[in-house]
């Protein structure tokens, strides 16, 4: 889960994108955008219909008035002479075309000589739409006035349907233009607001992902507005949970440290008493039983010491702040510390350093890493074997190498090795390879990995590839370490 949050990927491994439907921003846009678009379309259509009805009603009234004005016997003393209208006046400005027909259907006069205005006299009086072809430009709104008396002239008024439709659509577009600008602005505002809230949640998620058993500090809420108000109670509750977890881990560490400290004194006293008792043990079976009791006492002392070291390694802060550390010098000191045990067991220990490495780290943690690896190597290597410490640079194409220039520390022994399926299990606390004859508590490698992780190092165990039985404990140094070529070879 932590890796998925840090890399911004879903549980299936696919990159997380804002336009995915599971995204809060994507869901809001997917649900709100259609409603906004539909609302704009409905508003535009309603305006088109209402304005078109108003315009058509108004024009029909004007056509009726004009027709009655030209009908003989209507308002006025008689129809005035008809002016001749241009096509621009008729089709672009909506001028009325007046036609005067005789009782027998002969066209007597017209105000437009355009062939497009050649609309025949309609048999029945009233309004109608006459279509002379496909499209608006071929249509006419026609009002045919009834004759004032039988045998009288008839008047017919035309208006271009093209003008009416262009007028309605033009006015509609004028209304839709603000909506067309409003919709993107609304969607962008929605996208920006949700994006800002999601960025705040992403920051909080990253803060949560960085928390572990060594970093249980409260998640900062930051200035006002950094975290949405709806999320503040959740963050506050999570901070309270982190505080309780921190107290629980601290109590656990204090218990282990106190128990280890309390056990060291009686264990040391018992070991001293056993040393005083050793000369008084008669040879034979009693001496064998005493030897087994002494071995158990030493294992108990070693376990108490390992527990104390493990509790210190799991503390939130290192006992020593990071500083430039010469890895070669640390390795030499560590090898020198374990030389008495190597001489006691007749094990040859060698140091081969071909790189001069300076690492920004805690010297205490680095000594813990190398001391535990050497302790394990000397403990499981049989008498007469050999242990070699190598500081060298891996090949660019080497398996497990992050790239060209990767420098590692290898602790190579000639012990029985570890089965491949248990190479990771041995880092678990209190786990020991079944059938291992050497004494141990199963905590050494757990302490090694904990100290290495604190300094950004990686520890792995490999089987020897030169045909010799044994194990290679490899420590990958941080890529930011500075290196200087050197050559050093020490054997004893």
């Amino acid at each position: 889960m932590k890796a998925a949050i840090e890399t911004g990927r879903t549980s299936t491994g696919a990159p997380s994108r804002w336009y995915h439907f599971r995204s809060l921003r994507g869901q809001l846009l997917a649900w709100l955008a259609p409603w906004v678009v539909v609302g704009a379309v409905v508003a535009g259509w309603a305006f088109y219909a209402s304005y078109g009805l108003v315009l058509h009603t108004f024009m029909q009234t004007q056509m009726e008035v004009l027709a009655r004005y030209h009908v003989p016997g209507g308002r006025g003393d008689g129809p005035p002479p008809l002016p001749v209208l241009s096509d621009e006046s008729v089709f672009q400005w909506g001028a009325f075309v007046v036609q005067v027909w005789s009782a027998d259907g002969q066209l007597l006069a017209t105000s437009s000589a355009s062939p497009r205005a050649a609309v025949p006299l309609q048999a029945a009086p009233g309004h109608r739409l006459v279509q002379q072809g496909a499209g608006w430009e071929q249509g006419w709104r026609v009002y045919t006035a009834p004759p004032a008396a039988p045998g009288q002239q008839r008047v017919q008024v035309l208006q271009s349907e093209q003008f009416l439709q262009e007028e309605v659509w033009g006015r509609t577009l004028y209304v839709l233009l603000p909506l067309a600008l409003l919709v993107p602005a609304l969607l962008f505002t929605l996208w920006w607001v949700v994006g800002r809230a999601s960025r705040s949640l992403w920051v909080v998620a990253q803060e949560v992902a960085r928390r572990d058993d060594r970093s249980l500090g409260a998640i900062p809420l930051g200035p006002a507005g950094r975290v949405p108000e709806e999320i503040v109670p959740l963050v506050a509750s999570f901070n309270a949970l982190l505080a309780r977890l921190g107290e629980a881990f601290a109590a656990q560490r204090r218990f282990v440290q106190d128990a280890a400290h309390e056990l060291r004194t009686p264990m040391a006293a018992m070991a001293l008493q056993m040393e005083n008792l050793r000369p008084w043990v008669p040879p034979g079976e009693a001496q064998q039983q005493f030897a087994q009791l002494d071995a158990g006492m030493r294992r108990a002392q070693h376990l108490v010491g390992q527990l104390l070291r493990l509790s210190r390694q799991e503390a939130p802060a290192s006992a020593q702040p990071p500083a430039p550390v010469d890895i070669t010098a640390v390795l030499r000191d560590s090898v020198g510390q374990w030389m008495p045990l190597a001489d006691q067991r007749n094990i040859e220990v060698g140091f081969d350093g071909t790189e001069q490495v300076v690492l920004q780290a805690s010297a205490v943690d680095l000594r813990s890493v190398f001391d535990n690896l050497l302790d394990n190597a000397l403990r499981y290597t049989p008498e007469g074997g050999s242990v070699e410490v190598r500081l060298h640079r891996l090949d660019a194409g080497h398996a497990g190498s992050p790239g060209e220039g990767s420098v590692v520390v290898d602790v190579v022994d000639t012990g029985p090795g570890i089965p491949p399926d248990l190479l990771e299990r041995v880092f678990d606390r209190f786990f020991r390879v079944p059938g291992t004859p050497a004494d141990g508590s199963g905590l050494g490698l757990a302490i090694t990995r904990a100290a290495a992780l604190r300094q950004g190092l990686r520890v792995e165990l490999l089987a020897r590839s030169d045909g010799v039985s044994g194990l290679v404990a490899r420590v990958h140094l941080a890529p930011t370490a500075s290196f200087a070529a050197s050559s050093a070879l020490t054997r004893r």
Side-chain angles (χ1 to χ4, degrees):
M1 174 62 73
K2 177 177 178 180
I5 294 177
E6 289 180 345
T7 59
R9 290 180 175 269
T10 62
S11 58
T12 59
S16 177
R17 295 291 184 264
W18 66 265
Y19 49 79
H20 283 176
F21 190 72
R22 291 186 178 181
S23 165
L24 176 61
R25 185 187 300 177
Q27 291 185 50
L28 286 175
L29 288 177
W31 286 103
L32 292 182
W35 287 107
V36 172
V37 174
V38 169
V41 172
V42 170
W45 179 254
F47 177 82
Y48 169 80
S50 61
Y51 183 75
L53 179 61
V54 171
L55 183 62
H56 290 149
T57 302
F58 173 76
M59 292 302 178
Q60 288 174 2
T61 303
Q62 295 299 312
M63 293 167 69
E64 293 176 9
V65 172
L66 183 61
R68 292 192 183 98
Y69 182 77
H70 287 82
V71 172
R75 191 183 66 175
D77 296 334
L82 298 177
V84 179
L85 302 175
S86 64
D87 288 350
E88 180 181 1
S89 299
V90 174
F91 298 107
Q92 295 186 15
W93 297 101
F96 295 116
V97 177
V98 180
Q99 296 176 340
V100 180
W101 298 82
S102 64
D104 57 357
Q106 297 294 322
L107 181 61
L108 302 178
T110 180
S111 60
S112 175
S114 174
R116 294 173 57 185
V119 177
L121 178 65
Q122 304 300 305
H127 294 276
R128 59 182 45 82
L129 175 62
V130 177
Q131 200 74 27
Q132 293 182 313
W136 294 344
E137 66 278 0
Q138 301 298 326
W140 292 89
R141 293 282 176 172
V142 179
Y143 174 71
T144 305
Q152 292 289 328
Q153 296 177 350
R154 302 183 64 184
V155 176
Q156 186 169 262
V157 180
L158 315 177
Q159 188 174 38
S160 172
E161 178 70 10
Q162 175 182 348
F163 163 76
L164 293 175
Q165 293 294 340
E166 289 179 352
E167 183 70 12
V168 171
W169 278 111
R171 298 297 178 180
T172 303
L173 291 177
Y174 285 145
V175 175
L176 287 179
L177 182 60
L179 289 177
L181 298 177
L182 176 63
V183 169
L186 180 62
L187 294 178
F188 174 78
T189 303
L190 177 64
W191 179 84
W192 181 80
V193 171
V194 177
R196 183 180 179 184
S198 63
R199 282 195 299 271
S200 301
L201 293 177
W202 176 250
V203 172
V204 174
Q206 287 182 318
E207 291 287 346
V208 173
R210 283 194 286 266
R211 296 298 185 268
D212 54 23
D213 57 346
R214 300 184 187 88
S215 175
L216 295 174
I219 299 174
L221 295 177
R226 178 180 180 269
V227 178
E229 294 182 359
E230 296 82 0
I231 309 299
V232 170
L234 177 62
V235 177
S237 300
F238 194 81
N239 285 338
L241 175 62
L242 289 177
R244 292 193 296 271
L245 285 175
E247 294 174 358
F249 282 125
Q252 180 186 14
R253 282 190 294 267
R254 285 195 301 268
F255 172 77
V256 174
Q257 291 178 0
D258 293 343
H261 277 294
E262 291 296 327
L263 286 173
R264 291 180 70 179
T265 300
M267 295 292 291
M270 292 175 63
L272 181 60
Q273 293 175 3
M274 291 185 64
E275 288 297 326
N276 294 333
L277 184 61
R278 187 184 299 275
W280 301 96
V281 177
E285 184 178 354
Q287 197 169 26
Q288 294 178 0
Q289 296 293 332
F290 183 84
Q292 294 180 3
L293 179 62
D294 182 61
M297 179 61 65
R298 293 182 183 277
R299 285 196 299 270
Q301 283 183 308
H302 181 71
L303 175 60
V304 170
Q306 293 286 64
L307 285 174
L308 185 59
R309 294 175 64 182
L310 181 62
S311 64
R312 290 173 178 172
Q313 289 295 338
E314 293 180 343
S318 177
Q320 196 175 43
V325 179
D326 186 351
I327 301 298
T328 304
V330 173
L331 289 174
R332 289 182 182 277
D333 292 342
S334 185
V335 170
Q337 175 183 337
W338 292 99
M339 289 306 299
L341 178 60
D343 292 338
Q344 180 183 352
R345 303 195 60 207
N346 192 26
I347 296 177
E348 181 183 6
V349 178
F351 173 71
D352 184 3
T354 59
E355 300 288 339
Q356 188 73 25
V357 183
V358 177
L359 189 65
Q360 192 77 14
S362 168
V364 174
D365 285 341
L366 292 179
R367 279 299 300 268
S368 178
V369 171
F370 300 136
D371 284 351
N372 277 285
L373 292 180
L374 280 170
D375 181 20
N376 272 5
L378 293 174
R379 187 177 299 273
Y380 292 100
T381 298
E383 294 187 7
S386 64
V387 174
E388 186 173 3
V389 180
R390 303 171 184 170
L391 175 61
H392 64 100
R393 190 186 302 268
L394 290 178
D395 296 335
H398 193 280
S401 173
E404 186 177 0
S406 175
V407 176
V408 298
V409 175
D410 288 343
V411 179
V412 186
D413 62 49
T414 56
I418 299 176
D421 57 331
L422 298 179
L423 288 177
E424 280 297 320
R425 286 289 310 279
V426 294
F427 287 103
D428 297 340
R429 299 176 185 177
F430 302 106
F431 178 82
R432 301 191 66 206
V433 178
T436 302
D439 296 336
S441 59
L443 288 175
L445 290 177
I447 295 174
T448 300
R449 172 163 285 185
L453 289 177
R454 289 169 64 89
Q455 303 304 320
L457 309 180
R458 182 167 63 91
V459 181
E460 64 175 341
L461 300 180
L462 307 169
R464 295 187 61 163
S465 58
D466 54 1
V468 180
S469 174
L471 189 69
V472 179
R474 174 165 295 169
V475 181
H476 293 266
L477 301 182
T480 56
S482 58
F483 309 107
S486 68
S487 179
L489 181 62
T490 302
R491 286 211 173 265
R492 181 171 177 178

